[in-house]
Amino acid sequence: MNFTKTLLLTIMFLVSVNALALDKKTLEKFSQYDNNSEFVIIYDDVEAILKASVLYMGNSTRQKAKKSKASIGTRFRNKVKALTDLEGNRFHYEAFDTPEKIQLMTNVRKSLESLPSNSPLHFFSKDEQLAYWLNLYNVSLLEQLLLIYPRRNLESLTEKGQLFDQKNLLVDNEKLSLNDIKSIVIHNFGYDPLLIYGFHQGYIASPDIRREPYTGKRVWKILERNANLFINSNRGTFSDGSKTFRVSKLYEQNKAFFKDFDEDLRDHLKKYLNRSYKSKLLATDEIKTNTTNWKIADLYGTERKYGGSVSTSSAALIDAFVAKGPDGIKENVSFTNSGYMNSNITNFSPLKGRFSEAQIQKMKTMMKLQEIRKGTVTITDEEESESQEK
């Protein structure tokens, strides 16, 4: 390859990267907040769709999956990643089998997406905004995956950035991608490793999709819980007793969160690992970020049947994913069928359903004040306008 062609390709690459990156002005636009704010965003629609569609797996037992057997009448069998195939919460993609059902998710996404245009984010506390961005990110990701389902393997979409770099969102007149949302969160909260666990990636070896929405009041507690579940599972960490400690490739993808990667990652893992695995980490000389499972985290995907003379009920497969405690006893795990979605998820408008009536009235007053202030020239005028509005 000659020098001119190499230079041209380099320039094209830099242009494409710059086109994807958020500019400073946009980041600053979404960095204003009011930690004295009493405004709370309600996520009843998000909660309804998650509770109807997410199978909660609970604490990992680190059990490995058994090799699949070919069904009678066929020589085909599923490829099994023994270490991680039984890990992580599952989303019931299979239930969204019509455009009308997928539209339910789209409606929720649109409602979240349009909220800042009607209710400026700077009226909210930082934690309330963090919950908002995480909910928007995860709902948008689920919608995108529903549109391409039943695609089973997400490696190419993830590794090449196709899934996360597309600017499919319009938030307060700004075109955003999923990675843009992540950039906004990092800009506002820094490189706190707990943030990693708020961004579900859609595949089995990623942080869990939860059965509850993030809220400003509980956002950090939920992130702590997600970190604990992920790190104490084969998806996050694994040791066979050798001098090498295996961890998820997710940590390599989020290397910027660990300034001194090996040392800082060790400190982070030690904070959450249970006693037996913590001692294994302390005894190892090397950390390898090579644990992956790119299969979509659906309910039946890892048990897909290839036909044959004998068919079995897919519903029976749910039992294979029921969370069990250390003693093997099933935990209290509930799963609701897709009929719940049809009757309980509605098209929420940006204001109605997101806030109480009292909050809406107060927010309207604040927005009027804001408009008045935009037209004032001096501080005196601004104070007079504010007192008149009161």
Side-chain angles (χ1 to χ4, degrees):
M1 185 181 294
N2 59 43
F3 175 78
T4 303
K5 191 171 182 179
T6 302
L7 180 61
L8 181 61
L9 288 173
T10 302
I11 292 172
M12 289 174 63
F13 172 76
L14 291 174
V15 169
S16 65
V17 169
N18 289 332
L20 291 173
L22 277 185
D23 57 41
K24 186 177 180 180
K25 185 178 179 181
T26 304
L27 288 172
E28 289 298 326
K29 178 178 180 178
F30 293 119
S31 67
Q32 308 303 311
Y33 60 91
D34 178 7
N35 275 344
N36 294 318
S37 171
E38 296 180 356
F39 290 128
V40 175
I41 303 173
I42 298 169
Y43 297 104
D44 286 348
D45 52 347
V46 180
E47 183 171 17
I49 209 164
L50 292 178
K51 284 192 173 180
S53 312
V54 176
L55 179 65
Y56 174 64
M57 292 292 291
N59 297 330
S60 170
T61 61
R62 294 191 181 270
Q63 179 182 350
K64 293 184 180 181
K66 296 179 181 179
K67 290 183 178 181
S68 66
K69 296 180 180 179
S71 302
I72 298 173
T74 178
R75 294 186 179 184
F76 292 103
R77 62 182 181 182
N78 295 300
K79 291 182 179 179
V80 173
K81 298 205 76 169
L83 190 65
T84 54
D85 264 1
L86 297 181
E87 301 269 336
N89 292 353
R90 300 304 171 94
F91 188 82
H92 199 183
Y93 290 96
E94 297 88 339
F96 292 79
D97 52 2
T98 66
E100 291 75 21
K101 290 179 182 177
I102 295 176
Q103 187 65 37
L104 295 173
M105 187 70 76
T106 300
N107 291 342
V108 175
R109 186 265 300 166
K110 285 183 176 179
S111 174
L112 290 172
E113 180 185 40
S114 60
L115 184 146
S117 296
N118 298 275
S119 317
L121 289 179
H122 63 255
F123 285 166
F124 301 89
S125 68
K126 284 187 75 174
D127 286 353
E128 202 67 43
Q129 289 185 41
L130 176 58
Y132 167 76
W133 288 118
L134 293 179
N135 287 327
L136 177 60
Y137 180 102
N138 289 312
V139 167
S140 300
L141 174 66
L142 291 173
E143 180 195 17
Q144 290 303 307
L145 292 177
L146 285 171
L147 292 172
I148 63 172
Y149 192 78
R151 181 162 183 161
R152 304 287 179 179
N153 191 301
L154 303 182
E155 181 176 8
S156 61
L157 293 178
T158 301
E159 293 286 85
K160 295 177 182 178
Q162 295 173 5
L163 190 61
F164 300 94
D165 287 331
Q166 294 177 4
K167 293 183 182 287
N168 296 317
L169 297 166
L170 186 66
V171 182
D172 201 8
N173 296 317
E174 300 288 345
K175 289 184 178 181
L176 300 178
S177 67
L178 294 174
N179 276 338
D180 288 337
I181 292 178
K182 192 172 181 180
S183 296
I184 291 169
V185 169
I186 292 171
H187 181 264
N188 293 343
F189 291 89
Y191 286 96
D192 186 327
L194 275 182
L195 296 173
I196 296 172
Y197 306 99
F199 300 105
H200 178 58
Q201 303 293 287
Y203 50 86
I204 290 175
S206 77
D208 280 323
I209 184 69
R210 303 287 296 170
R211 293 188 76 240
E212 61 181 320
Y214 290 92
T215 62
K217 186 177 181 180
R218 299 191 66 245
V219 62
W220 291 104
K221 287 184 179 179
I222 300 175
L223 289 174
E224 287 263 7
R225 176 60 175 159
N226 248 19
N228 199 301
L229 287 169
F230 186 78
I231 292 171
N232 288 291
S233 72
N234 292 340
R235 293 173 295 150
T237 62
F238 180 75
S239 174
D240 58 5
S242 67
K243 289 294 183 180
T244 299
F245 194 82
R246 292 178 56 187
V247 301
S248 171
K249 190 172 183 178
L250 186 77
Y251 295 114
E252 181 184 313
Q253 295 168 336
N254 290 277
K255 214 166 187 176
F257 285 83
F258 308 96
K259 191 173 182 180
D260 184 332
F261 185 70
D262 189 87
E263 183 178 344
D264 290 349
L265 179 57
R266 283 177 181 271
D267 288 342
H268 175 66
L269 296 176
K270 283 188 292 185
K271 185 177 179 180
Y272 296 99
L273 279 171
N274 61 33
R275 186 178 299 176
S276 63
Y277 253 72
K278 188 183 294 185
S279 62
K280 290 180 179 180
L281 174 62
L282 294 172
T284 55
D285 298 327
E286 181 185 18
I287 289 181
K288 278 192 175 181
T289 57
N290 61 355
T291 299
T292 61
N293 190 329
W294 302 108
K295 295 176 186 176
I296 193 168
D298 60 358
L299 196 59
Y300 307 129
T302 54
E303 296 290 341
R304 181 174 39 156
K305 296 186 294 298
Y306 286 97
S309 57
V310 177
S311 63
T312 57
S313 169
S314 294
L317 292 173
I318 290 179
D319 190 60
F321 297 108
V322 170
K324 297 182 180 180
D327 54 1
I329 299 175
K330 294 180 183 178
E331 295 181 356
N332 183 22
V333 178
S334 61
F335 186 78
T336 313
N337 64 33
S338 57
Y340 179 90
M341 292 187 293
N342 293 328
S343 59
N344 287 275
I345 300 171
T346 57
N347 184 6
F348 285 75
S349 67
L351 287 179
K352 186 178 179 182
R354 292 279 173 227
F355 307 101
S356 67
E357 188 61 35
Q359 287 191 107
I360 292 172
Q361 294 307 316
K362 185 175 180 180
M363 193 172 295
K364 285 180 177 178
T365 301
M366 291 176 68
M367 290 174 75
K368 286 179 182 178
L369 282 171
Q370 189 178 62
E371 289 303 313
I372 292 171
R373 289 172 179 172
K374 284 179 181 178
T376 59
V377 179
T378 66
I379 295 176
T380 302
D381 290 336
E382 182 178 339
E383 290 174 348
E384 288 176 355
S385 297
E386 186 173 350
S387 63
Q388 289 171 8
E389 193 66 31
K390 289 178 179 177

